[in-house]
Amino acid sequence: MAQRTPSGAVPGHRGRSASGTRLWTWLMLPGTLWMTGFLIASLILVATLALGTTDPLGNPRFGFNFDNIAAMADPAYRIVLLRSLGFALIACVVCLIVAYPVAYTIALHGGRFKNLLIAAIVVPFFANYLVRMYGWSVVLSDGGPVLKALRAVGLADAHTKILQSGVGVIAGLVYGFIVFMIIPLFAALERMDLSLIEAGRDLYGGPLRTFFFVTLPATRQGAAAGAVLVFLPAIGDFVSAQLMGGPDQIMIGNLIQDKFFQGQNWPLGSALTMLMMAVLFIGMLGYLRRTRKDEAEAAR
């Protein structure tokens, strides 16, 4: 048995702890350098470029004017940003409604097949995102199985379209990011104390009342984390809008792509990028404040 020092510490433990700390410091160093050198530097570059101009040949020039910032007040950009926010929010809600029963069934009734079922959901998402979206566009096309089934049961007619519409864009966003909702919900349901459900039933709560007043509040942090993970990539996505929507359904990601690669207006593209990042930052700030408040309430 190890002898403790007068201070209460086990001899050798402090040395191993300091050694372990140095090891983790060195392991963190590559990631820290990467984040500092590339991510933060690229953000600074984009922010400074947003204040720049272009020469007659379309080459970007650094400067200090606010024309690109003022251009954000253009109603056309505001409509695209609001549309992107709307599509991302609707995709979050649909993902939550679809993912919750899936996560609930796997977490509470999956038994020894839990890990296999989660793998069956996650593994297909390792396939290339663009390839998956092309496949999904075929499924939702006019001659695809979805519209054929809807027409067969009378829920759609010959003029009904899914592609080239907002419904198609939202369907693409949900398909593309729903796994980011399932995993946090599954983790929250796995961590939940199941005696809470039994207590709810002992208090004569039916299945629905127990779910809405016990299970759902106990897993709200998982739902909030999933909403953030879906919302952040969804608002900047441009593949779904390009393949599933038409010219009238473009999102801010399409606008930024167009300014950088076709319009040759990098300063304006940078200003749009900063605008999108400001919106995302506000969303993240709200999520972090809410999470901190929930943790403080749980610690009481």
Side-chain angles (χ1 to χ4, degrees):
M1 181 177 178
Q3 298 296 319
R4 293 181 178 276
T5 64
S7 64
V10 178
H13 176 74
R14 184 173 180 179
R16 287 195 298 272
S17 177
S19 168
T21 301
R22 283 196 296 272
L23 173 63
W24 284 111
T25 301
W26 280 107
L27 290 176
M28 288 174 57
L29 191 59
T32 304
L33 290 176
W34 179 274
M35 295 286 287
T36 305
F38 290 94
L39 180 60
I40 296 178
S42 61
L43 284 176
I44 294 173
L45 181 64
V46 170
T48 52
L49 195 56
L51 300 176
T53 58
T54 56
D55 64 15
L57 297 177
N59 298 314
R61 284 181 174 176
F62 290 99
F64 196 76
N65 71 79
F66 294 93
D67 291 348
N68 297 314
I69 306 299
M72 298 297 100
D74 190 319
Y77 297 140
R78 192 162 58 241
I79 290 172
V80 173
L81 179 61
L82 291 176
R83 183 189 299 130
S84 304
L85 285 170
F87 282 167
L89 287 173
I90 294 173
C92 281
V93 173
V94 176
C95 281
L96 180 62
I97 294 172
V98 175
Y100 205 103
V102 176
Y104 185 94
T105 304
I106 295 175
L108 303 188
H109 302 286
R112 58 193 177 93
F113 298 107
K114 286 182 184 178
N115 293 335
L116 183 63
L117 292 171
I118 287 294
I121 291 172
V122 173
V123 169
F125 281 82
F126 290 140
N128 183 274
Y129 181 68
L130 193 59
V131 172
R132 286 191 286 119
M133 284 298 111
Y134 270 118
W136 193 232
S137 67
V138 173
V139 172
L140 298 180
S141 64
D142 291 346
V146 173
L147 269 180
K148 283 184 178 178
L150 291 176
R151 287 166 183 156
V153 298
L155 295 176
D157 55 30
H159 303 290
T160 304
K161 289 182 178 296
I162 297 179
L163 290 183
Q164 306 298 310
S165 69
V167 176
V169 178
I170 293 169
L173 294 175
V174 170
Y175 173 71
F177 303 115
I178 193 170
V179 70
F180 298 140
M181 182 68 82
I182 293 176
I183 299 302
L185 284 174
F186 172 77
L189 287 162
E190 275 268 275
R191 291 196 305 266
M192 189 181 67
D193 186 357
L194 297 182
S195 63
L196 293 175
I197 298 178
E198 295 173 2
R201 290 173 179 169
D202 289 343
L203 294 173
Y204 303 103
L208 281 179
R209 287 177 63 85
T210 303
F211 174 76
F212 282 110
F213 290 99
V214 177
T215 308
L216 205 54
T219 56
R220 63 184 180 187
Q221 286 193 359
V228 170
L229 292 176
V230 171
F231 182 81
L232 294 182
I235 194 174
D237 183 76
F238 59 91
V239 176
S240 296
Q242 189 169 334
L243 295 181
M244 309 286 184
D248 297 332
Q249 308 298 334
I250 63 170
M251 298 173 66
I252 192 166
N254 303 96
L255 210 53
I256 293 171
Q257 183 198 29
D258 180 67
K259 297 301 177 187
F260 272 99
F261 297 105
Q262 295 181 17
Q264 287 294 312
N265 194 342
W266 289 24
L268 186 53
S270 299
L272 288 168
T273 303
M274 296 307 297
L275 175 65
M276 185 181 71
M277 292 188 67
V279 173
L280 296 180
F281 178 75
I282 293 171
M284 278 298 297
L285 200 61
Y287 168 73
L288 292 175
R289 288 189 62 181
R290 183 65 199 178
T291 303
R292 189 178 302 171
K293 187 177 179 182
D294 287 344
E295 289 176 351
E297 290 176 354
R300 290 175 184 170

